[in-house]
Amino acid sequence: MKNLKDKVAVVFAASGEIAGAVARSFSQQGAKVYVTARNLDAVNELAREIKAGGGWAEAAKVDAMVEAEISDFLEKVVADNQRLDIVFNGIGADYNEMGGRPATTEATFEQFMAPIQKICGSQFLTSRAAARYMIQTHSEGTILLLTAALSRSKLSNVAGITAASVAIEGLTRVMATEWGKNGIKVICICPGAIMETKRISGWIEAAARQYGMPLEQLIAQYKSLDILKTSLTLKQVGETAAFLASETGVAFNSHIVDVDCGKLNIL
Amino acid sequence: MKNLKDKVAVVFAASGEIAGAVARSFSQQGAKVYVTARNLDAVNELAREIKAGGGWAEAAKVDAMVEAEISDFLEKVVADNQRLDIVFNGIGADYNEMGGRPATTEATFEQFMAPIQKICGSQFLTSRAAARYMIQTHSEGTILLLTAALSRSKLSNVAGITAASVAIEGLTRVMATEWGKNGIKVICICPGAIMETKRISGWIEAAARQYGMPLEQLIAQYKSLDILKTSLTLKQVGETAAFLASETGVAFNSHIVDVDCGKLNIL
Amino acid sequence: MKNLKDKVAVVFAASGEIAGAVARSFSQQGAKVYVTARNLDAVNELAREIKAGGGWAEAAKVDAMVEAEISDFLEKVVADNQRLDIVFNGIGADYNEMGGRPATTEATFEQFMAPIQKICGSQFLTSRAAARYMIQTHSEGTILLLTAALSRSKLSNVAGITAASVAIEGLTRVMATEWGKNGIKVICICPGAIMETKRISGWIEAAARQYGMPLEQLIAQYKSLDILKTSLTLKQVGETAAFLASETGVAFNSHIVDVDCGKLNIL
Amino acid sequence: MKNLKDKVAVVFAASGEIAGAVARSFSQQGAKVYVTARNLDAVNELAREIKAGGGWAEAAKVDAMVEAEISDFLEKVVADNQRLDIVFNGIGADYNEMGGRPATTEATFEQFMAPIQKICGSQFLTSRAAARYMIQTHSEGTILLLTAALSRSKLSNVAGITAASVAIEGLTRVMATEWGKNGIKVICICPGAIMETKRISGWIEAAARQYGMPLEQLIAQYKSLDILKTSLTLKQVGETAAFLASETGVAFNSHIVDVDCGKLNIL
């Protein structure tokens, strides 16, 4: 039985690895999936792959930071389907793009605000637009946000991204509170570090170079906080997101869901 | 696709409403379900119902407070199946059975300790026995515990049950930490008040009588903390438990999972 | 014994009621207190009052949103004192100033970001500048931030202020982590609603008018979440801040401190 | 100014190092301090030391696990003083006394329940008796409980002590809720590991022997989670407790207070 049969899902910032995995899982559970990003080539490739696997997908160029593009796109989706069931925004912050990881004494105001404006701001824009169309079409849908586990940690030189991550969690709770009366669920997933992503494997390689440590040692150090012997995979994040958006996932709402297979340092 | 196909599940204290719903969901997802309780009639009836629905079930008289009964029963299950995939213990505390809800200034030491010994103690016994047999049979299974939402609230005259609830959550984290290396997941579900259960509907009726309030008003008051218009059902709790025990639920481990559709008073 | 004898304290956004109470407490504990705000008249009045009470105070016009003004002022303080022991920023967000409390479906991007930029941004600016001068002068000082209790609640139509509040808490943790090696403590206080402030009494009056409810009833409703019969006062918030900044407050660091006398809805 | 001038304080299980430090701080802040334990010699010595320092102290043999002894002693204190302002119970669990740190698969039911019955049970008994006498004498006092930081961690082989620690925190919240209407505050302190205590230094020495690691390396490992360069001292724990019990500590009530100078692994 497919959990998302006939559901209409839109994935923003779908060029990222997590969003790609989520889109694939939505499709595997039977949803029609619209995959969008600034990088049209990336989402075209993703859509092709989904269709090759027997799914329904359509790619579009949408900048998840630009309100008009988001709104126009959702309007078209709603015009075509008369409904909007699931929205996921996979926007992330790349340290390089954000000016590296400056010490907080050195970070400029703009460097500090950049991830908040980008990732928290984008989640605000896509969630708000999604809610408007879900309310308008009486779709009792699910809005899925994405945060990072550093919302619950104490790390150095990540002031902006940490502030953005917790801000997204606070935003999740307010939006769930407001839109629950319309039957809309709002959930935020918080994946642990996924070793197979380019971002995390890139960090580890960079850190290994920087500190002159063997790569295996650093990987072991990362994995030492994993409770299970196995580590979280992209596919598992996608499947969890698909479950949360399904009817059987209804018990989750306003939740910040740690998607991490258990971490020793995250309660 | 059934998520728990061929899995061997044991439900302790299965005469309760939550445990019954969990057992039914395990079965609907394809698991072989052993339902046990002190009250053999109740679990016989549950097993009959599951089998009538096309599932596999077997009932047995096991007191989830008695170590030897638990261990003997699991030994038999493992002898028959060479594996043990899922264990859920639905033990709960009934206020009446616990001496009512005395003010903490009035509660005796025995009244305070009773729910801790009963519900936290029983979760310890069944989880520990489950882990032993899962380790012995190399079953990388899931142990599901049950707590109550008052672990996260400030209510009067519930010292013992509150202490028991949080103790179960702490126990969950320690056990997950210890048994993760054996591939065993340990998760605790924390359902919100379920209006359709006899326990909650009984409380509300009793409170309505006590305070001379119309039943509808009290129900509305209870529901006023629900974010969604709909309220949590037993079936949803069962389905959530079945998901958590399935392979796609692997991202959850050591988690305390609020199963409540979103509550205004629970972060 | 005065806990802050000879300490040099700077209070930003000191025209607010909470910041005023904090400045008074710093002075009563023996600190030299610099009180600054955009509104010079307000802080002149506060300084006069502190001096009339036998304390040492100096007022200055500083906009806590403008990096250069903050930095120039702290440079002068450090030039005069060769140290900087305590910095508190009392910046708050007024709903009216922020465009009211629009539903999140209606809020513009600018309305959503405004409190984040203003209150979280200002805390970033004053904390970072404070840390630089504390490090430079080897002052093992305390940086106190301010957040609002809605960081831990689920309320409607407060997306921006909620996001700002949690962002400040995340920022606190990162800064404490970075500057601990320099002996600097970073703490965030989270006062509950203080009935005697103009902001809260104004809200309640406005709400009473809006819903046609007697004022007493609304006040009683607010107070129904207070565990103690008495409610939090401004003076208590000030005294708590003074304690946290003192040597005996050293056990608190990186903490988000609920300053609320106990609330039923805040764990 | 002494914060606890003329206050009547009773410390149970005062033979422990934390309780001793708390009793000394109560005295230094001007309180009359009754120090009690099963080990009369230990509390006689403590009382002598407090009196030598100019304080008021009286020692008595009271077993904090025996309801009648607790009650009889408080009755005498109230008969002598007509009031009871502060009660602290420093009861702790020694691993050896509790049967070591058995793996949870190996722990017996009795080993699991022992710390819950001992430390959570004792906190229940002394808090409840304290509340009765505070209510009877209209003393709007403070009841201070003690928990361990493992309530918020994921460690192996500490099921019972972890369960006991979180249970104490839940109990704190319920009691604060019930007794707030009588003006009684209930607070739980949660000190981080204190290197100077025999318990922690003993653990570290034992671990160094067990793993053949240099002592300095293990100490450095322990301290690596400290945010400040300095580590928490017993004196600081005592001073924090004295502050929380003072009038200026009123903002804290129903709180679990991490007394740790900031730890990287505790949010």
Side-chain angles (χ1 to χ4, degrees):
Chain A
M1 193 192 65
K2 297 201 166 184
N3 284 329
L4 302 178
K5 195 165 178 305
D6 298 328
K7 298 289 183 188
V8 175
V10 176
V11 177
F12 290 103
S15 54
E17 289 170 285
I18 289 176
V22 169
R24 282 183 200 98
S25 286
F26 285 170
S27 172
Q28 273 148 22
Q29 291 297 332
K32 275 178 84 165
V33 185
Y34 294 86
V35 289
T36 76
R38 281 183 305 180
N39 179 343
L40 184 58
D41 287 347
V43 286
N44 268 333
E45 174 56 32
L46 176 61
R48 255 195 302 276
E49 188 198 319
I50 288 173
K51 287 185 281 189
W56 189 107
E58 192 173 295
K61 186 175 184 316
V62 178
D63 185 336
M65 284 293 295
V66 178
E67 187 164 14
E69 293 192 23
I70 297 163
S71 199
D72 288 354
F73 184 73
L74 291 183
E75 184 154 5
K76 178 198 154 320
V77 170
V78 161
D80 290 353
N81 297 278
Q82 286 77 53
R83 61 192 295 171
L84 176 61
D85 299 299
I86 306 167
V87 167
F88 175 71
N89 182 344
I91 200 158
D94 190 275
Y95 287 144
N96 295 330
E97 187 191 351
M98 294 291 162
R101 280 182 61 177
T104 302
T105 42
E106 299 307 321
T108 63
F109 185 77
E110 287 67 32
Q111 283 175 324
F112 173 64
M113 290 300 298
I116 303 176
Q117 281 185 298
K118 185 185 169 197
I119 66 175
C120 182
S122 175
Q123 293 287 355
F124 168 79
L125 289 174
T126 57
S127 298
R128 193 189 50 165
R132 286 176 177 171
Y133 286 104
M134 286 179 180
I135 292 170
Q136 182 192 296
T137 56
H138 304 285
S139 304
E140 304 198 337
T142 300
I143 298 172
L144 280 172
L145 292 86
L146 178 66
T147 187
L150 32 81
S151 68
R152 242 148 302 166
S153 59
K154 295 180 182 168
L155 289 175
S156 295
N157 302 4
V158 286
I161 298 186
T162 297
S165 300
V166 284
I168 288 168
E169 301 181 14
L171 175 62
T172 297
R173 290 192 281 267
V174 172
M175 298 192 306
T177 303
E178 288 188 49
W179 303 333
K181 62 179 179 295
N182 302 104
I184 297 170
K185 292 203 316 168
V186 186
I187 308 170
C188 182
I189 61 169
C190 182
I194 308 169
M195 308 295 286
E196 63 175 308
T197 58
K198 285 192 206 83
R199 179 170 302 164
I200 303 295
S201 60
W203 282 356
I204 294 177
E205 281 163 29
R209 272 194 304 275
Q210 188 180 343
Y211 301 113
M213 282 169 75
L215 195 59
E216 294 68 33
Q217 187 183 332
L218 255 177
I219 292 174
Q221 202 171 302
Y222 253 75
K223 291 172 70 96
S224 68
L225 295 169
D226 287 340
I227 289 180
L228 294 178
K229 288 169 301 184
T230 55
S231 292
L232 182 70
T233 64
L234 281 165
K235 189 159 184 290
Q236 289 164 350
V237 175
E239 288 173 349
T240 304
F243 164 74
L244 292 170
S246 75
E247 263 171 53
T248 44
V250 69
F252 295 80
N253 180 28
S254 79
H255 290 49
I256 313 302
V257 179
D258 289 316
V259 181
D260 59 7
C261 303
K263 286 280 194 185
L264 291 177
N265 60 332
I266 302 287
L267 290 202
Chain B
M1 196 193 64
K2 299 200 165 186
N3 284 328
L4 301 178
K5 194 164 179 307
D6 298 328
K7 298 287 183 189
V8 175
V10 175
V11 178
F12 290 103
S15 54
E17 288 170 286
I18 290 176
V22 168
R24 282 181 200 98
S25 286
F26 285 170
S27 172
Q28 275 149 22
Q29 291 298 331
K32 276 179 83 165
V33 185
Y34 293 87
V35 289
T36 76
R38 281 183 305 181
N39 180 342
L40 184 59
D41 287 348
V43 287
N44 268 332
E45 174 56 31
L46 176 61
R48 256 195 301 275
E49 189 198 318
I50 288 173
K51 287 185 282 191
W56 189 106
E58 193 174 295
K61 186 175 183 316
V62 178
D63 185 336
M65 283 295 292
V66 179
E67 187 164 14
E69 292 191 24
I70 297 163
S71 198
D72 288 353
F73 183 72
L74 290 183
E75 184 156 4
K76 177 198 155 320
V77 170
V78 161
D80 290 353
N81 297 279
Q82 286 76 52
R83 60 193 296 172
L84 176 61
D85 298 300
I86 306 167
V87 168
F88 176 71
N89 182 344
I91 200 158
D94 191 274
Y95 287 144
N96 294 330
E97 185 191 353
M98 294 289 162
R101 278 183 60 176
T104 302
T105 42
E106 299 308 321
T108 63
F109 184 78
E110 287 67 32
Q111 283 175 325
F112 172 65
M113 288 301 299
I116 303 178
Q117 281 185 298
K118 184 185 170 198
I119 65 175
C120 182
S122 175
Q123 292 288 355
F124 168 79
L125 289 175
T126 58
S127 299
R128 193 189 49 165
R132 286 176 177 171
Y133 286 104
M134 286 180 181
I135 292 170
Q136 182 191 295
T137 57
H138 304 285
S139 304
E140 303 199 336
T142 300
I143 298 171
L144 280 172
L145 292 87
L146 177 67
T147 187
L150 33 80
S151 68
R152 243 148 302 167
S153 59
K154 294 179 182 169
L155 290 175
S156 294
N157 302 6
V158 286
I161 298 187
T162 297
S165 300
V166 284
I168 289 167
E169 301 181 14
L171 175 62
T172 298
R173 289 192 281 266
V174 172
M175 297 192 306
T177 302
E178 288 187 50
W179 303 332
K181 63 179 179 294
N182 302 105
I184 296 170
K185 293 204 316 168
V186 186
I187 307 169
C188 181
I189 62 169
C190 181
I194 307 169
M195 308 295 286
E196 64 175 306
T197 59
K198 286 193 206 81
R199 178 170 302 163
I200 302 295
S201 61
W203 282 356
I204 294 177
E205 281 163 30
R209 273 194 305 275
Q210 186 180 344
Y211 301 113
M213 282 170 74
L215 196 59
E216 294 67 31
Q217 187 183 331
L218 253 178
I219 290 173
Q221 200 171 302
Y222 254 75
K223 291 172 68 96
S224 68
L225 295 170
D226 287 339
I227 289 180
L228 294 178
K229 288 170 300 185
T230 56
S231 293
L232 183 70
T233 64
L234 280 166
K235 189 160 182 290
Q236 289 164 350
V237 176
E239 288 174 348
T240 304
F243 164 74
L244 292 170
S246 75
E247 264 172 51
T248 44
V250 69
F252 295 80
N253 180 28
S254 79
H255 290 50
I256 313 304
V257 179
D258 289 317
V259 181
D260 60 8
C261 302
K263 285 281 195 185
L264 290 177
N265 59 334
I266 301 285
L267 291 201
Chain C
M1 196 192 64
K2 299 200 165 184
N3 285 328
L4 302 178
K5 195 163 177 308
D6 298 329
K7 297 287 184 189
V8 175
V10 176
V11 178
F12 290 103
S15 54
E17 288 170 285
I18 289 176
V22 169
R24 282 182 201 97
S25 287
F26 285 170
S27 171
Q28 275 149 23
Q29 290 297 331
K32 276 178 83 165
V33 186
Y34 293 87
V35 289
T36 76
R38 280 184 305 181
N39 180 344
L40 183 58
D41 287 348
V43 286
N44 269 332
E45 174 57 29
L46 176 61
R48 256 194 302 276
E49 189 197 319
I50 288 174
K51 287 184 282 189
W56 189 106
E58 192 174 294
K61 185 176 186 314
V62 178
D63 185 336
M65 284 295 292
V66 178
E67 188 165 12
E69 292 192 24
I70 297 163
S71 198
D72 288 353
F73 183 72
L74 290 183
E75 185 156 3
K76 177 198 155 316
V77 170
V78 161
D80 289 353
N81 298 278
Q82 286 77 52
R83 61 193 295 171
L84 177 60
D85 298 300
I86 306 166
V87 168
F88 176 70
N89 182 343
I91 201 158
D94 191 274
Y95 287 146
N96 295 331
E97 184 191 355
M98 294 289 163
R101 280 182 60 176
T104 302
T105 43
E106 299 308 321
T108 63
F109 185 77
E110 287 68 31
Q111 283 175 324
F112 172 64
M113 288 301 298
I116 303 177
Q117 282 185 299
K118 184 184 169 199
I119 65 174
C120 183
S122 175
Q123 293 287 355
F124 168 78
L125 289 174
T126 57
S127 299
R128 193 190 49 165
R132 285 176 177 170
Y133 286 104
M134 285 178 181
I135 292 170
Q136 182 191 295
T137 56
H138 304 286
S139 303
E140 304 198 336
T142 300
I143 299 171
L144 281 173
L145 292 86
L146 178 66
T147 187
L150 33 79
S151 69
R152 243 148 302 167
S153 59
K154 294 179 181 169
L155 289 175
S156 294
N157 302 7
V158 286
I161 298 187
T162 297
S165 300
V166 284
I168 288 167
E169 301 182 14
L171 175 62
T172 297
R173 288 193 281 267
V174 173
M175 297 192 305
T177 302
E178 288 188 48
W179 302 333
K181 63 178 178 295
N182 302 105
I184 297 169
K185 294 203 315 169
V186 186
I187 308 169
C188 182
I189 62 169
C190 181
I194 308 170
M195 308 296 285
E196 63 175 307
T197 59
K198 287 193 204 82
R199 179 170 302 162
I200 302 295
S201 60
W203 282 356
I204 295 177
E205 282 163 30
R209 274 194 304 274
Q210 187 181 343
Y211 301 114
M213 282 169 75
L215 195 59
E216 293 68 31
Q217 187 183 332
L218 253 178
I219 291 173
Q221 202 171 303
Y222 254 77
K223 290 172 70 96
S224 69
L225 295 170
D226 287 339
I227 289 180
L228 295 178
K229 290 169 300 184
T230 56
S231 292
L232 183 69
T233 64
L234 280 166
K235 189 159 183 290
Q236 289 164 351
V237 176
E239 288 174 347
T240 305
F243 164 74
L244 293 170
S246 75
E247 263 171 52
T248 44
V250 69
F252 295 80
N253 180 30
S254 79
H255 290 51
I256 312 304
V257 179
D258 289 317
V259 181
D260 60 7
C261 303
K263 287 279 195 186
L264 290 177
N265 60 334
I266 301 287
L267 291 202
Chain D
M1 195 191 65
K2 298 201 165 183
N3 285 328
L4 301 178
K5 195 164 177 306
D6 298 329
K7 298 288 183 188
V8 175
V10 175
V11 178
F12 290 103
S15 54
E17 288 170 285
I18 289 176
V22 169
R24 282 183 201 99
S25 287
F26 285 171
S27 172
Q28 274 149 22
Q29 291 298 331
K32 275 178 85 166
V33 185
Y34 293 87
V35 289
T36 76
R38 282 183 304 180
N39 180 343
L40 184 58
D41 288 346
V43 286
N44 267 333
E45 174 56 31
L46 176 61
R48 255 194 302 275
E49 189 198 320
I50 288 174
K51 287 185 280 190
W56 189 107
E58 192 173 295
K61 186 175 184 315
V62 178
D63 185 337
M65 284 294 294
V66 178
E67 187 163 14
E69 293 192 23
I70 297 163
S71 199
D72 288 353
F73 183 72
L74 290 183
E75 184 154 5
K76 178 199 154 319
V77 170
V78 161
D80 289 353
N81 298 278
Q82 286 77 52
R83 60 193 295 172
L84 177 61
D85 299 299
I86 306 167
V87 168
F88 176 71
N89 182 344
I91 200 158
D94 191 274
Y95 287 144
N96 294 330
E97 188 190 352
M98 293 291 163
R101 281 182 59 177
T104 303
T105 42
E106 299 307 321
T108 62
F109 185 76
E110 287 67 32
Q111 283 175 324
F112 173 64
M113 289 301 297
I116 303 177
Q117 281 184 299
K118 185 185 169 197
I119 65 175
C120 182
S122 175
Q123 293 288 355
F124 168 78
L125 289 174
T126 57
S127 299
R128 193 190 49 165
R132 286 176 177 171
Y133 287 103
M134 286 179 181
I135 292 169
Q136 181 193 296
T137 56
H138 305 285
S139 303
E140 303 199 338
T142 301
I143 298 171
L144 281 172
L145 293 84
L146 178 66
T147 187
L150 32 81
S151 68
R152 244 149 299 167
S153 58
K154 295 180 182 168
L155 288 175
S156 294
N157 302 6
V158 286
I161 298 186
T162 297
S165 300
V166 285
I168 289 168
E169 301 182 14
L171 175 62
T172 297
R173 290 192 282 266
V174 172
M175 298 191 306
T177 302
E178 288 187 50
W179 303 332
K181 63 179 179 295
N182 302 104
I184 297 169
K185 294 202 316 169
V186 186
I187 308 170
C188 183
I189 61 169
C190 182
I194 308 170
M195 309 293 288
E196 63 175 307
T197 58
K198 286 193 206 82
R199 179 170 302 162
I200 303 295
S201 60
W203 282 357
I204 295 178
E205 281 163 30
R209 273 193 304 274
Q210 188 180 343
Y211 301 115
M213 281 169 75
L215 195 59
E216 293 68 32
Q217 187 183 332
L218 254 177
I219 291 173
Q221 202 172 301
Y222 253 76
K223 290 172 70 96
S224 68
L225 295 170
D226 287 340
I227 289 180
L228 294 179
K229 288 169 301 183
T230 55
S231 292
L232 183 70
T233 64
L234 280 165
K235 189 158 183 289
Q236 289 164 351
V237 176
E239 288 174 348
T240 304
F243 164 74
L244 292 169
S246 75
E247 263 172 52
T248 45
V250 69
F252 295 80
N253 180 27
S254 78
H255 290 51
I256 313 303
V257 178
D258 290 316
V259 181
D260 60 7
C261 304
K263 285 280 194 186
L264 290 177
N265 60 332
I266 301 287
L267 290 202

